[in-house]
Every structure is written in C-alpha cells, then in structure tokens.
Amino acid sequence: MALYRRLPPLRALQAFEAAARHLSFARAAEELGVTPAAVSQQIKLLEDRLGLPLFRRGLRLALELHAVEAAAALTDAFDRLARAADRLVPPEVERPLVVSAPPAFASRWLVPRLERFHTRHPEIELHLSATLRLVDLEREGVDVAIRYGSGRYPGLHVERLRLEEVVAVAVPRLAERLPHPADLCEVSLLVNQTMGWDPDFPDWPTWLGEMGVVPAHPLRLRPFGDAALVIEAAMAGLGAALLWRTLVSDELASGRLVALFPGRPLSSAYHLVCAPDHRDRPDLQAFRAWLMEEAVSR
C-alpha cells in the first residue's frame, strides 16, 4: 500500500525554513528569489494551517520555542532532499560550474575577463551569480564563490585571490588640478553610500585626516547609491572618488582614471572559497588556475 504523506505546501515549508535559519524575512526572500511580503504570506498560510504561531514578531524576529526543533529538522530534510536530487543526474552528465561573486567585482573585474576563460576552456559551461550575500554554497548549488573579507570562512576551503587597497582617483583633466591632498578640499568628492559594510574602508574626512589634511571649510560631498555609480560619476569627471583599486584596475591601466596618490592597504582581501570536497573537481581547478593567473597579472 502506498504511503500517504500529509504535508503542508512545500513553498510554505521553504519560506519557514529559510526565515528560521536567517531569522529574517528579508534575507529569506533574497535567498528564495521572492519578496519579503511573499515570505510573510507563506508563513502566515502555514501558521493558519497549523493553528499556532511560529515566530515572535518584534524588533527582532525570533522562533517560538515549539518551532525550534521543527526548523532544525526541516533544514536537515531539505539538505538531504538536495543531495538526493543530485543523484538523479548521472555522473557522466556535464554540470555547469556555478560561480558566485560580489556584484561590483563581477561586473567591473570578472566579466570583462571571462572571454579569456571561455577561450581557454570552451568545454566548461560557467554560470555567474552576483550577490553581496554570503551564499550557502551547498544549499544554493554554488560550486565556488569569490568573497571579499577577512578570509575566515569556517568549514570551507579558502585561498586568497588578491589583496585590496583604497585609492583616490579622478579623470586626468581633474587630476592635474590635484597635486596635493589638500587640493581635494576644493573639488567635489564622490561618496559611496553603501560602504558601511566594510568597516576598514575610510570615508573622505578619515582619509584626508590620514593624509594630514584638516579641511578649512565643509567638504563638497556628492553621494551615490553604490560603487558602480561612483565609478561612472568619476569617469564623467564629476569629482574625485575613493574606490577599491581592483574595481578600477582596467581604468587605471588605460589612463581613463588616474590614481592621485599611493593607495592605502585594506585589511580585507578577495578570496576564492569552495566546499573542501569540491576543490579537486577538474572544472573548478581550471577556473581556479585561470583566476589566480588573472589576479596576479592584471
């Protein structure tokens, strides 16, 4: 006789498990590729079906005590389900190499170089995912990730890709007017409003202070929403910018932007990370070797 399983809707269980793991509807939504409202709706559906709440909704999201064990069991169940699904694909069937990278790094540094990888390894199908979130490699089907940070990622194989530094840049015609750090006080200074997540990246007052400059009047700060916009604004000649050198390495090499002064090293770096049992995969090893070569030479 067939076994009949009385299960709540799978989407509701997925929403609950992700929200329980992150303790955040917003982060669960990002992982699942839906809106926070959709996650909230699915969890409400599950709570209505069960007839009891699963979360305490206050300043911080918290699991109800009776839901803690169920959340852990669901995480284990979804992990086992993912591994079982992998077995449906015969070993001889080629899988794409899935790479995750920060958006700015992906668009400004990695993508312009990928044609060289495809030329060298036309047999490898590469899928690139760009996100600032620290993805769960196994759960989200990511084979290898490029992460910017300290390099401390427990349980993962980690290799440093390249060191990073902050550099002040401007277009050549503006750079000619800025031979000394104090000259920056007289021009527009472009600001990346999203830099708060990197505590070692200095704002303009801090950077100027490190250069021995005490502004005599308020700085002319021009805010932008992310690093890509700051780079475009700098290339349009709208002002000087503080940026990660990696993100403007091509512009500096071509002369479209000029480094005004020597860069200042940052404590964080770019790292290549993967699950330890994936590190010897031939396609991953090919990508790693190519990436390390690119990081050193360009």
Side-chain angles (χ1 to χ4, degrees):
M1 188 173 93
L3 178 62
Y4 175 66
R5 296 180 175 89
R6 299 182 59 187
L7 294 174
L10 183 60
R11 287 185 180 179
L13 291 176
Q14 285 180 306
F16 166 66
E17 188 277 334
R21 184 159 29 87
H22 293 296
L23 290 180
S24 165
F25 286 0
R27 291 188 63 192
E30 184 179 3
E31 176 179 315
L32 297 174
V34 298
T35 65
V39 169
S40 179
Q41 183 181 29
Q42 289 295 327
I43 291 173
K44 182 65 167 58
L45 183 153
L46 185 59
E47 290 176 327
D48 289 345
R49 177 167 178 152
L50 298 173
L52 74 169
L54 298 172
F55 291 97
R56 295 191 298 276
R57 296 163 171 82
L59 293 177
R60 292 187 178 181
L61 193 66
L63 277 168
E64 294 285 0
L65 290 178
H66 60 263
V68 173
E69 187 175 344
L74 276 172
T75 296
D76 179 65
F78 279 124
D79 286 344
R80 287 187 285 112
L81 183 62
R83 290 193 292 271
D86 283 343
R87 297 191 183 101
L88 295 173
V89 182
E92 63 273 13
V93 174
E94 293 292 332
R95 294 184 175 89
L97 180 69
V98 181
V99 179
S100 173
F105 179 88
S107 64
R108 304 296 310 188
W109 192 88
L110 183 56
V111 169
R113 292 163 170 76
L114 277 182
E115 183 58 30
R116 291 196 283 269
F117 176 75
H118 292 312
T119 298
R120 182 179 298 183
H121 297 285
E123 77 284 2
I124 298 177
E125 181 183 355
L126 187 148
H127 291 184
L128 178 61
S129 171
T131 177
L132 281 173
R133 181 170 50 84
L134 294 184
V135 298
D136 185 319
L137 302 187
E138 181 175 358
R139 177 180 301 280
E140 300 180 47
V142 173
D143 299 307
V144 59
I146 298 166
R147 291 182 175 174
Y148 175 77
S150 66
R152 294 187 293 272
Y153 304 112
L156 296 175
H157 171 72
V158 181
E159 293 183 70
R160 192 170 69 188
L161 178 61
R162 62 184 290 146
L163 296 170
E164 188 56 285
E165 63 180 21
V166 60
V167 61
V169 302
V171 292
R173 66 180 182 274
L174 178 58
E176 293 175 356
R177 298 162 44 196
L178 305 171
H180 306 292
D183 296 327
L184 286 162
C185 299
E186 307 305 320
V187 301
S188 293
L189 303 177
L190 311 179
V191 176
N192 180 355
Q193 291 180 302
T194 63
M195 282 311 309
W197 60 268
D198 186 357
D200 194 34
F201 196 98
D203 57 18
W204 275 112
T206 300
W207 186 90
L208 287 168
E210 292 174 355
M211 300 292 284
V213 176
V214 179
H217 49 76
L219 299 173
R220 293 159 52 187
L221 302 177
R222 301 186 66 175
F224 290 86
D226 59 32
L229 290 175
V230 172
I231 294 170
E232 292 302 321
M235 292 180 62
L238 299 184
L242 285 178
L243 291 163
W244 292 287
R245 181 180 287 274
T246 295
L247 300 190
V248 289
S249 57
D250 290 344
E251 287 75 15
L252 292 173
S254 68
R256 287 175 290 173
L257 288 175
V258 175
L260 302 175
F261 310 101
R264 192 261 265 177
L266 295 169
S267 59
S268 294
Y270 290 98
H271 299 86
L272 190 74
V273 303
C274 66
D277 57 349
H278 286 182
R279 59 182 293 187
D280 293 327
R281 274 180 46 175
D283 56 350
L284 197 155
Q285 280 296 310
F287 179 73
R288 172 202 170 277
W290 170 81
L291 195 65
M292 292 294 182
E293 180 182 312
E294 290 286 333
V296 170
S297 63
R298 300 173 176 89

